[in-house]
Amino acid sequence: MPSEPLWAGRSSKPPAPEAHALGRSLRFDVRLAAYDVEASVAHAGALRDAGIVTADEANRLSAALNEVGDAIADGSFVFDDADEDIHSAIERGVTDRLGDLGAKLHAGRSRNDLVATDVRLWMRATGRRITGLTAMLVRTLIARARENARTVMPGSTHTRPAQPVTLGHHLLAHSWALMRDLQRFDELDARSNVSPLGAGALATSTLGLDPSATAERLGFASAFRNSLDAVSDRDAVQEFLAVTSILATHLSRLGADIARLTDPAIGWAQLDDGYTTGSSMRPQKANPDTAELVRAKAARIGADFTTLMSVLIGLPLGYHRDLQEDKEPLFDAAGTLELTLPAMIGAIETIRFDVEAMRAACEDDGLYATDIAEALVGEGVPFREAHRRTGELLRSLGDRRLKDLSKEEWHSFGLSEGADLLDPERSVAARSGPGGPSPGSVEEQAAAIERSLTERRS
Ligand code: ARG
């Protein structure tokens, strides 16, 4: 016989099957099981401290909760059709084991404060896995950047050649962006380090529970300050999705870069075969599907953010079943990142950079135009005029190249050592200031990023 819903007392009949099917969240919130057990064990402690159950009863409740949690984890737990969600399933499992004692567990709590607590615990654990992977990707990028601190390549704007940079500088640009993502995760973690448990449905309880002791048991920095806020808001989930959207955007741009650099028409890098996919029709193809998928996945993570925001906009204070819709976007965004980050780490670890091809692509007069104009500025020429004169020089070349200019021609242009400027190594080395593309700056940047990674961990 299927058991009744938890709230069956008031209702003249069980829910219509289609209403039950619509409302049932077990399919996705089952992944909160371990956190629901953890929060429930902490709540049993609060009931004991308030004298609602004895110490022995609290122990039996905790043991039964852990049993149910283990059974769910190993797949032996039998879910009932009437279990609406993971919270009711676990409470029912405990009651099946303990009878009347199990029925005491829900005193002073509601699924409203329970689900908010479970989700925060889940976000804490998942956020740490995602930041661990992100830090690993940063370390991978740093290693590849260090190997290529002196590798010159044409840096581009508008995907057109602009000025020489080092590959190390280019790779570290991605690392800095990811470092800000880590910082955002840390800040979000600190802000959502607040326990909602004890808020009840909206107004706490009359039972003398101590939410701050519960918070401490769960490893939260503090308990809620307003019970209505604690059950109504989902800003912590929204912030998690905002931060993951930004991270996913950064990964997308890294994916786009990899797809571009490995384009045979450019030929500056080759993905390892493990990170390419063949074509079903054209035997010669090695497609950058991994990079393309990482590029595309940001779209759905951004949509997850938008989905939750759209649910929350205009919702009056208090719990509404609408809030159940926070979980699928949250799980989807995190699950997607847990797929994309490892793939990106592997792709970057194994990508082969064609240093010669990048060096050869630096044989492009246009790349040195800015160096020439700035050399004129060094001779006292106002920049606007230097810019115009350099542009005219390039235009006047016809079929010739800058390296074909004679000493006299350079001299009459206004630069005695003009030919020396046409060298990518010189060009990047000359940009030796902090944050620039020079090999020294790449080393400095890599060390600075490593320092903040180490500080983060401690
Ligand atoms: N499954 C629900 C959710 O995820 C739990 C809270 C149910 N509360 C309620 N008042 N119906 O939001």
Side-chain angles (χ1 to χ4, degrees):
M1 192 190 75
S3 54
E4 308 180 299
L6 299 169
W7 38 262
R10 192 216 58 92
S11 193
S12 63
K13 52 168 97 150
E18 58 276 23
H20 180 62
L22 173 64
R24 200 167 194 246
S25 54
L26 196 56
R27 174 173 52 80
F28 50 87
D29 65 17
V30 64
R31 72 192 80 193
L32 295 176
Y35 306 103
D36 199 78
V37 167
E38 194 183 340
S40 300
V41 168
H43 181 69
L47 294 176
R48 178 202 56 216
D49 293 350
I52 311 291
V53 299
T54 66
D56 174 60
E57 286 176 325
N59 289 340
R60 285 166 58 212
L61 280 169
S62 299
L65 280 162
N66 282 312
E67 244 179 73
V68 170
D70 292 345
I72 293 174
D74 71 22
S76 62
F77 187 80
V78 184
F79 287 99
D80 191 299
D81 281 345
D83 295 336
E84 278 187 346
D85 53 26
I86 191 61
H87 326 288
S88 25
I90 290 177
E91 188 186 334
R92 186 203 35 89
V94 169
T95 308
D96 285 353
R97 283 167 172 73
L98 301 179
D100 283 349
L101 173 56
K104 290 188 171 184
L105 177 63
H106 209 57
R109 75 173 192 184
S110 154
R111 281 181 295 165
N112 299 355
D113 57 344
L114 185 57
V115 70
T117 306
D118 292 1
V119 166
R120 282 189 187 223
L121 291 170
W122 183 91
M123 287 197 298
R124 180 165 76 192
T126 307
R128 287 181 188 168
R129 281 202 308 278
I130 291 175
T131 51
L133 288 167
T134 305
M136 204 182 294
L137 176 57
V138 171
R139 286 190 190 282
T140 309
L141 283 164
I142 293 179
R144 301 310 310 266
R146 282 212 164 110
E147 288 163 31
N148 290 287
R150 299 179 174 280
T151 305
V152 288
M153 67 185 284
S156 48
T157 61
H158 311 266
T159 61
R160 278 130 178 94
Q163 289 176 252
V165 293
T166 47
L167 176 58
H169 192 58
H170 184 110
L171 294 173
L172 289 184
H174 288 293
S175 309
W176 284 111
L178 296 169
M179 287 305 288
R180 290 191 295 279
D181 291 322
L182 287 176
Q183 196 178 38
R184 272 184 276 269
F185 265 109
D186 293 344
E187 288 163 2
L188 135 80
D189 202 47
R191 219 179 339 273
S192 54
N193 200 358
V194 177
S195 169
L197 204 55
L202 74 164
T204 72
S205 77
T206 57
L207 302 176
L209 306 181
D210 177 4
S212 53
T214 307
E216 204 177 312
R217 274 187 205 107
L218 292 172
F220 286 112
S222 62
F224 65 90
R225 303 298 298 271
N226 179 308
S227 59
L228 191 51
D229 175 42
V231 295
S232 299
D233 212 340
R234 289 295 180 271
D235 60 343
V237 183
Q238 222 183 339
E239 192 174 1
F240 189 98
L241 286 171
V243 169
T244 50
S245 302
I246 299 174
L247 168 59
T249 308
H250 287 147
L251 296 175
S252 171
R253 300 185 71 178
L254 178 56
D257 253 1
I258 290 179
R260 183 174 121 82
L261 297 184
T262 57
D263 178 350
I266 293 181
W268 296 348
Q270 288 91 41
L271 281 164
D272 183 80
D273 277 353
Y275 297 90
T276 61
T277 312
S279 155
S280 57
M281 184 171 171
R282 293 140 307 158
Q284 88 283 12
K285 295 278 276 179
N287 293 324
D289 296 31
T290 303
E292 290 170 332
L293 284 167
V294 173
R295 180 168 69 189
K297 291 288 187 191
R300 69 186 281 164
I301 296 178
D304 289 330
F305 172 79
T306 310
T307 298
L308 178 62
M309 191 176 79
S310 309
V311 167
L312 295 174
I313 289 175
L315 212 55
L317 223 50
Y319 178 84
H320 312 266
R321 195 60 174 270
D322 307 56
L323 294 176
Q324 180 167 291
E325 292 293 308
D326 63 347
K327 279 173 280 302
E328 281 171 292
L330 176 63
F331 298 155
D332 181 72
T336 303
L337 280 173
E338 290 198 76
L339 283 174
T340 52
L341 280 163
M344 216 47 180
I345 293 168
I348 301 283
E349 240 162 27
T350 54
I351 193 170
R352 287 182 307 280
F353 294 111
D354 192 333
V355 173
E356 295 308 314
M358 288 189 222
R359 179 73 176 69
C362 289
E363 301 288 317
D364 171 348
D365 285 349
L367 289 175
Y368 306 97
T370 311
D371 293 66
I372 294 168
E374 287 183 4
L376 284 178
V377 167
E379 300 296 323
V381 181
F383 180 71
R384 269 301 139 229
E385 192 192 328
H387 185 287
R388 183 184 49 76
R389 267 161 62 181
T390 308
E392 283 166 4
L393 175 69
L394 287 172
R395 192 149 49 87
S396 72
L397 284 176
D399 288 341
R400 298 202 307 158
R401 300 271 318 275
L402 283 175
K403 65 172 191 292
D404 304 326
L405 293 182
S406 67
K407 242 186 146 44
E408 292 67 44
E409 281 171 303
W410 277 116
H411 200 82
S412 64
F413 176 71
L415 293 176
S416 42
E417 310 295 340
D420 294 351
L421 298 175
L422 312 176
D423 171 41
E425 279 81 14
R426 194 219 63 91
S427 176
V428 295
R431 290 175 167 76
S432 58
S438 72
S441 161
V442 170
E443 289 298 344
E444 244 171 67
Q445 294 178 52
I449 295 173
E450 248 170 8
R451 269 198 306 280
S452 26
L453 279 177
T454 313
E455 272 164 31
R456 243 196 107 246
R457 264 211 308 222
S458 56

